[in-house]
Amino acid sequence: MSQFTPGIYNIDPVHSTIGFTVRHLVAAKVRGHFTDFSGALTMGENVESSSVEGTLKAASVTTGNDTRDGHIRSGDFFEVENFPTWTFKSTKITAKGGDNYE
């Protein structure tokens, strides 16, 4: 197992990406990412006692197509006017063997 130091480690947005890929009409893939996000990894005394939390601004979604991005931000998808910020929190971390965790 890798050695680590317990503590809080902030996500560096300059060197990190929150991205996604979705299929459109079965044949095409649309890739995108969010440009405004933050988060932190809290390392416990062991990996299983650690946690991660992240927040992103839904309106910061970009796919490289302004028309599509506007549609994604609309009530048809993200409804950013009513849900501007999304927060994700881990509920557990489970060892999967070796240095692999889920």
Side-chain angles (χ1 to χ4, degrees):
M1 176 184 290
S2 301
Q3 296 297 317
F4 61 88
T5 303
I8 298 173
Y9 298 88
N10 291 316
I11 294 171
D12 177 359
V14 173
H15 296 101
S16 304
T17 301
I18 297 178
F20 59 88
T21 303
V22 296
R23 287 211 177 268
H24 177 69
L25 300 175
V26 183
K29 289 183 181 177
V30 174
R31 290 175 175 80
H33 63 276
F34 295 88
T35 60
D36 190 351
F37 61 90
S38 62
L41 171 65
T42 301
M43 294 298 294
E45 291 298 321
N46 58 60
V47 176
E48 288 88 349
S49 68
S50 301
S51 64
V52 64
E53 181 173 331
T55 300
L56 63 81
K57 301 291 184 186
S60 76
V61 66
T62 182
T63 64
N65 180 296
D66 291 340
T67 302
R68 178 175 46 223
D69 294 348
H71 188 210
I72 292 170
R73 292 181 188 112
S74 77
D76 287 343
F77 292 97
F78 291 171
E79 197 173 351
V80 300
E81 288 186 17
N82 293 318
F83 304 101
T85 304
W86 301 353
T87 299
F88 300 87
K89 297 179 183 182
S90 63
T91 56
K92 68 179 179 176
I93 297 176
T94 305
K96 293 295 181 183
D99 285 340
N100 297 311
Y101 295 86
E102 182 176 88

